[in-house]
Amino acid sequence: MTEGPAEWVLGVDSGGSGLRAALAPVDDIGRALTNTSSVPVRTSGSGIDPAHMVEQLLPMARELLGRAGEVTVSAVALGAAGMATLGDGLRAELPGALARELGVERLALAADGVTAYAGALGQRRGAVVAAGTGMIALGTDLACWRRADGWGHLLGDCGGGAWIGQAGLDAAMRAFDGRRGGSKSLLALAEERFGPAIELPGRIYPRTDRPAALATFAPDVARCALDDPAAADILRRAAAHIAEAAAAVCPADGGEVALTGGLFKLGEPLLGPLREELTEQLPQATVVPAAGDPLHGSLVIAAALAADGLRLPLDRRLLHVP
C-alpha cells in the first residue's frame, strides 16, 4: 500500500514591510521552507486588497510547493496587519481563492497580534506584547481575547518605537528652545539624524511614513539613556505604558507574559525598567521568552487547524475560521 502526499501547512505573515510565507510539515513546523516579498499588500480606505494578496501569495506558495516536492497543503493560516478593522475583503474572498487555486479547505485569518501571540506562547493562556514602531498587547484565558492599545501613533501605541522617538524629539526641541525638560544630547543626535532642528517640522510632518520616521529615533534615545536623565525618563515611561497594556489583558489569575518585536532590541535601557514594571504591575504572571515570531505563529495556528486541535478562541475580527 503506497502512502499519499505528505501533509504540510502554509503560514503567511503580511505587514508593512511586505509578505512572508512558510511551508512546513504539519507534525514538524520547525522544519519550514520560507519565501519573502518586500512589496506590502495594498491597503486603502476600503480595506486590505484581496486581489493583490492573492496575486502576491499564490506565486510564493507555488514556489514553496515546488521546493517541498510531493506534498499537499492541509491548512493555511494568514496573519495580517489591519485584519481586525480592514480585513472584510480578505474574509469574503480569500477562502474561495485558496480553495480554487491550492485546493485548501481549512483556512484561518488572523490579526497580526494573534499570530504574534501564537508565535510567542503557542496555545497557552497569558499575554503577549508585540512592539515595534507601534505597540499592542493581546491576552487570552482561552475563552476570549482581550486587547489593549494598538491604536496607532495619534491615538495610542504608547511605549512603542514611534512614541519613544516622538518623546525624544520633543526633548530635543525643548533643548533647542531653552525650555524645561530638554536634552542637549538628544538635540545633537536629532540633528545628526534629521538635519538642523529648525528644519525638523518640514522633514517629519509631510512624510507618509511618519510613524516609522519617528521610530528611527528610538535607538538614539536608548543610546542616550545611560548618561542622559531625559532619555532615561522617556524609557521608564515607555516601560510603564508597555506593562500597563500587558496587565490590562493578562488573565486575572496569572499566566505567562512574553515580549516580541523589534522594539525590545533596544536592550537593557528599556528592558531593565520594563522588568521592574512587570514585577510591580503583574506579580501573578511569569515572564517567559517568546518562542518565535508571527510567521512561526501562523504555522502554529495552521498546524493546530489541520489536526483539529485549535484551542485559541475564535473571533470574527481577530481569529476567523470560515
Side-chain angles (χ1 to χ4, degrees), residues 220-281:
D220 296 313
V221 177
R223 278 171 56 192
C224 270
L226 292 178
D227 304 310
D228 185 87
D233 180 64
I234 290 168
L235 293 183
R236 279 193 297 269
R237 288 187 283 132
H241 286 309
I242 293 168
E244 285 167 0
V249 302
C250 193
D253 57 350
E256 295 177 328
V257 175
L259 309 173
T260 184
L263 183 73
F264 301 111
K265 294 178 182 178
L266 293 182
E268 197 60 23
L270 175 63
L271 295 178
L274 182 53
R275 282 193 296 269
E276 295 176 7
E277 289 286 346
L278 288 170
T279 298
E280 179 180 340
Q281 296 191 43

Side-chain angles (χ1 to χ4, degrees), residues 159-259:
W163 185 95
I164 291 171
Q166 184 171 359
L169 291 174
D170 174 74
M173 298 310 291
R174 285 176 176 274
F176 181 72
D177 292 342
R179 290 179 285 150
R180 289 186 301 177
S183 165
K184 291 183 178 179
S185 297
L186 288 174
L187 174 60
L189 288 174
E191 293 194 317
E192 181 181 314
R193 182 172 293 278
F194 296 106
I198 195 69
E199 298 176 6
L200 195 57
R203 294 179 182 272
I204 296 292
Y205 290 148
R207 292 182 62 154
T208 56
D209 64 340
R210 194 181 309 130
L214 292 170
T216 63
F217 196 55
D220 296 313
V221 177
R223 278 171 56 192
C224 270
L226 292 178
D227 304 310
D228 185 87
D233 180 64
I234 290 168
L235 293 183
R236 279 193 297 269
R237 288 187 283 132
H241 286 309
I242 293 168
E244 285 167 0
V249 302
C250 193
D253 57 350
E256 295 177 328
V257 175
L259 309 173

Side-chain angles (χ1 to χ4, degrees), residues 51-76:
H52 194 220
M53 174 70 78
V54 170
E55 178 186 319
Q56 288 221 74
L57 177 57
L58 287 180
M60 295 172 68
R62 289 176 180 135
E63 191 274 339
L64 290 171
L65 286 166
R67 288 161 57 190
E70 191 176 349
V71 303
T72 184
V73 180
S74 300
V76 176

Side-chain angles (χ1 to χ4, degrees), residues 276-296:
E276 295 176 7
E277 289 286 346
L278 288 170
T279 298
E280 179 180 340
Q281 296 191 43
L282 277 168
Q284 77 277 23
T286 303
V287 180
V288 299
D293 66 4
L295 183 60
H296 174 73

Side-chain angles (χ1 to χ4, degrees), residues 91-116:
R91 286 184 281 268
E93 298 187 30
L94 209 57
L98 292 182
R100 287 191 306 272
E101 300 294 337
L102 298 179
V104 178
E105 300 293 338
R106 295 187 176 193
L107 170 67
L109 297 172
D112 57 344
V114 170
T115 50

